[in-house]
Amino acid sequence: CDRPDQELTGSWGHGPRSTLVRAKAMAPPPPPLAASTPLLHGEFGSYPARGPRYALTLTSQALHIQRLRPKPEARPRGGLVPLAEVSGCCTLRSRSPSDSAAYFCIYTYPRGRLGGRRRATRTFRADGAATYEENRAEAQRWAIALTCLLRGLPLPGDGEITPDLLPRPPRLLLLVNPFGGRGLAWQWCKNYVLPMISEAGLSFNLIQTERQNHARELVQGLCLSEWDGIVTVSGDGLLYEVLNGLLDRSDWEEAVKMPVGILPCGSGNALAGAVNQHGGFEPALGLDLLLNCSLLLCRGGGHPLDLLSVTLASGSRCFSFLSVAWGFVSDVDIQSERFRALGSVRFTLGTMLGLATLHTYRGRLSYLPAIVEPSSPNPAHGLPRAKSELTLTPDPAPPMAHSPLHRSVSDLPLPLPQPDLASPGSPEPLPILSLNGGGPELAGDWGGSGDAPLSPDPLLSSPPGSPKAVLLSPVTKGPPVIPPSSGLPPPTPDARVSASTCGPPDHLLPPLGSPLPPDWVTLEEDFVLMLAISPSHLGADMVAAPHARFDDGLVHLCWVRSGISRTALLRLFLAMERGSHFSLGCPQLGYAAARAFRLEPLTPRGVLTVDGEQVEYGPLQAQMHPGLGTLLTGPPGCRGREP
């Protein structure tokens, strides 16, 4: 389906090493082929050799599998493998010298009947030629073509598919907060993330953060030209550290163009929820959300990311990719820290407690309105034009030099546990197959007695011209040592956000405390909450600004005035799970799309947060900087059409 937002889908690993030049090289892809256009077609056997034979057809969107023998299927079961479910592929060869066949294996993560994803492999036997070299060339051709499609690389029109089409393996820096997700982040990373990105052929180096602001310190000292992306495996807080660390470098103009990604292993996972929606997947939580975002990361491709520059009362500045909150939302966020061991349930419990002790806050909200066009195709419900107080409402959502690298695991050989797949007709599973150079361990589909095990084809496992990964830091075996209490102790507010002295100037903002220009709108009210949000999601399952995009250049202001009942406020938050809260007609709910805003709390006590991190209490102001960063999102998808 057509999307109005521009993608930066440059292929993984192509282009110069300079982050600035690399970002400029991420041009939009060529016009896509029709989804049904056959790119490759051929006949394959199965593994073991006595199994069925298949006709395979590869299109730009899926691999079509039709059984030919022993009995053709009129309606093939499992005969369509959407590329959105594929993490990667490889070629294999038999360890039997007499076997002239070559093997083509794909790694998939289909959804089960209950909606969750489960890893599966499909292995096909290329045996149409008399020699192994010819069969290997055919299996390799399919693997190269599929890899190009997965990474958004164009296939040549002349049909010549050679290993030269494949770029060097993209190199990612993974930062893992082992305390995230109730202490499960490391296990989830080891059991799910690392195998999947290895299947995709991505090169990586992994660092476990050991303290608050560790990630910020690391990225400030990195030689960024050695990396193609920085990916956090945690909640939103770790990405906040990374972005502010990049913008605190003297070379921030180049550094901030470094593509960043997020794999959700925290409590809130708001940005991951927006990435999941952008990829066309149905709303998900927990492990399902992690697998969806990991699949998107394997595909590569980035998107411009708006960043909000926030100036605090002391004059210090930080950068936000998510939200600024005051009142009920920030109260719940900070007060629920004591329940962090409960994971995402902490927010539900915090909300109930917040409703029981509901407060109002006197304050002054001023903003520079943005004139925007409706993002919904329905012209009857356009965004309000902001020249005075706004109460309703945006469009409803559419249907639904090196620094030390501590505790590091690299892309050199790494034992990654995978489940064995047992044959229905054989009590003994195939032996585990380990790919050279740190690839994923592979359990073959099924094998009976007498079937020779398979081993990786080194020519395809490491494309010509692809440099071997270099170990940049010591490898520590085993999981991290995690203290008995899950979560880091909450530091003092002064320690949570450090000032940024670099970054772009805020040309729309007068000095804090100075009068505002006449084209600003000012409201002075008793507020229950005020929320300034950039992407669509406030949590993995909370769509606060359903029409927002990563690069719309807007900060979406939502507020609730005093006078709302606890029941009505609860109804708003329940509707926010579907992004339908603006359609409730709540008179206390207000909205405005802005380019900049100023918030002046007039209540002497309260809590302010930036991206969920507590900041000093007092007046603040902020300006949106459109497309300042780059977010790894994978290709866009179409809601409601997930396979």
Side-chain angles (χ1 to χ4, degrees):
C1 64
D2 294 333
R3 297 289 294 248
D5 34 4
Q6 183 183 18
E7 294 295 315
L8 294 177
T9 52
S11 58
W12 273 124
H14 271 315
R17 299 301 296 175
S18 165
T19 56
L20 178 60
V21 178
R22 180 173 59 244
K24 291 181 178 178
M26 297 173 73
L33 295 169
S36 58
T37 302
L39 302 174
L40 288 178
H41 182 78
E43 181 177 331
F44 286 81
S46 58
Y47 181 64
R50 298 182 302 280
R53 296 194 66 80
Y54 300 97
L56 303 186
T57 303
L58 181 63
T59 70
S60 63
Q61 299 295 320
L63 177 66
H64 300 259
I65 306 171
Q66 182 180 11
R67 190 174 70 188
L68 300 176
R69 293 196 296 271
K71 182 180 179 181
E73 294 175 299
R75 295 182 177 179
R77 292 175 297 175
L80 179 67
V81 180
L83 299 193
E85 296 179 349
V86 178
S87 62
C89 61
C90 69
T91 57
L92 304 164
R93 67 173 301 175
S94 173
R95 293 178 183 170
S96 170
S98 61
D99 188 354
S100 63
Y103 297 84
F104 166 52
C105 176
I106 62 173
Y107 306 98
T108 68
Y109 289 80
R111 296 179 63 185
R113 293 181 179 179
L114 300 180
R117 296 194 184 276
R118 183 178 179 182
R119 181 183 184 272
T121 63
R122 301 292 298 266
T123 303
F124 303 98
R125 174 185 172 97
D127 54 4
T131 66
Y132 169 72
E133 286 72 19
E134 293 174 289
N135 290 323
R136 180 187 61 179
E138 180 65 8
Q140 194 174 29
R141 193 164 70 102
W142 279 75
I144 293 169
L146 179 56
T147 300
C148 288
L149 292 176
L150 291 175
R151 297 186 183 176
L153 298 169
L155 293 174
D158 57 8
E160 286 294 322
I161 300 174
T162 65
D164 294 335
L165 295 175
L166 294 179
R168 57 164 180 78
R171 188 170 183 86
L172 300 179
L173 176 60
L174 303 183
L175 301 179
V176 182
N177 174 14
F179 305 103
R182 294 174 293 170
L184 294 176
W186 169 248
Q187 290 297 325
W188 281 13
C189 179
K190 181 177 65 173
N191 294 339
Y192 301 103
V193 174
L194 300 186
M196 191 183 293
I197 64 176
S198 297
E199 293 162 0
L202 306 182
S203 175
F204 65 90
N205 203 256
L206 182 149
I207 305 169
Q208 297 173 38
T209 59
E210 299 172 344
R211 61 187 180 278
Q212 194 160 14
N213 283 323
H214 187 189
R216 182 170 185 156
E217 296 165 6
L218 285 170
V219 300
Q220 286 175 333
L222 283 179
C223 180
L224 295 178
S225 63
E226 297 182 358
W227 307 97
D228 297 296
I230 300 175
V231 179
T232 61
V233 186
S234 183
D236 296 309
L238 199 59
L239 185 59
Y240 174 86
E241 289 189 21
V242 168
L243 285 169
N244 279 274
L246 292 173
L247 282 158
D248 209 25
R249 294 168 57 111
S250 59
D251 61 344
W252 65 266
E253 290 182 274
E254 292 188 12
V256 74
K257 292 181 172 62
M258 168 63 65
V260 297
I262 188 165
L263 296 179
C265 288
S267 301
N269 302 321
L271 188 63
V275 170
N276 183 74
Q277 176 177 286
H278 176 271
F281 292 130
E282 293 298 318
L285 296 172
L287 183 57
D288 289 339
L289 179 62
L290 175 63
L291 293 177
N292 286 353
C293 291
S294 298
L295 279 171
L296 291 170
L297 178 69
C298 289
R299 302 288 299 275
H303 197 100
L305 178 66
D306 296 341
L307 295 179
L308 188 69
S309 168
V310 183
T311 302
L312 305 176
S314 63
S316 63
R317 193 167 66 141
C318 59
F319 289 86
S320 161
F321 65 89
L322 182 55
S323 66
V324 177
W326 176 50
F328 185 81
V329 173
S330 57
D331 291 346
V332 168
D333 203 357
I334 297 306
Q335 292 173 8
S336 65
E337 286 279 353
R338 50 183 163 164
F339 309 123
R340 181 173 286 274
L342 301 177
S344 60
V345 178
R346 64 178 262 218
F347 297 111
T348 302
L349 182 56
T351 299
M352 295 300 103
L353 294 176
L355 287 170
T357 58
L358 192 61
H359 298 287
T360 60
Y361 300 87
R362 187 74 179 176
R364 187 181 300 115
L365 173 64
S366 305
Y367 58 89
L368 176 61
I371 303 302
V372 296
E373 294 299 324
S375 58
S376 168
N378 183 0
H381 300 89
L383 291 171
R385 295 300 186 258
K387 275 297 178 184
S388 60
E389 178 186 353
L390 303 175
T391 54
L392 293 175
T393 110
D395 290 324
M400 293 291 271
H402 296 302
S403 59
L405 304 184
H406 304 288
R407 288 184 181 173
S408 159
V409 177
S410 86
D411 46 355
L412 296 180
L414 175 70
L416 302 176
Q418 296 290 347
D420 295 350
L421 298 180
S423 168
S426 172
E428 297 181 357
L430 283 174
I432 294 295
L433 306 174
S434 179
L435 294 185
N436 295 328
E441 293 186 352
L442 166 68
D445 284 334
W446 332 102
S449 58
D451 289 304
L454 305 179
S455 61
D457 181 340
L459 292 183
L460 195 64
S461 298
S462 180
S466 298
K468 286 291 184 180
V470 178
L471 183 61
L472 297 184
S473 54
V475 175
T476 299
K477 298 184 181 296
V481 178
I482 301 178
S485 59
S486 297
L488 292 171
T492 61
D494 291 341
R496 302 197 76 152
V497 175
S498 302
S500 176
T501 57
C502 301
D506 295 325
H507 64 282
L508 297 177
L509 297 176
L512 191 59
S514 300
L516 292 168
D519 55 345
W520 284 55
V521 177
T522 297
L523 310 173
E524 185 170 328
E525 296 275 358
D526 289 323
F527 294 98
V528 172
L529 67 88
M530 196 291 297
L531 176 68
I533 189 166
S534 302
S536 55
H537 285 55
L538 183 60
D541 57 348
M542 296 188 70
V543 191
H547 56 294
R549 302 195 309 269
F550 297 121
D551 63 340
D552 57 14
L554 303 175
V555 54
H556 302 273
L557 301 176
C558 307
W559 61 85
V560 175
R561 295 187 298 272
S562 63
I564 190 172
S565 68
R566 290 176 172 85
T567 301
L569 184 59
L570 179 60
R571 189 180 299 119
L572 279 178
F573 277 91
L574 291 175
M576 197 179 291
E577 295 181 2
R578 304 178 300 276
S580 60
H581 49 296
F582 287 112
S583 64
L584 296 180
C586 176
Q588 290 83 19
L589 176 63
Y591 168 85
R595 301 170 62 198
F597 72 93
R598 176 183 289 179
L599 176 64
E600 300 169 273
L602 303 178
T603 303
R605 299 181 63 183
V607 175
L608 284 168
T609 59
V610 176
D611 293 1
E613 304 294 325
Q614 187 173 357
V615 299
E616 59 185 283
Y617 187 69
L620 62 78
Q621 60 185 17
Q623 174 186 327
M624 182 60 73
H625 292 274
L628 183 60
T630 300
L631 180 66
L632 294 170
T633 60
C638 300
R639 289 296 303 274
R641 296 179 57 184
E642 182 183 359

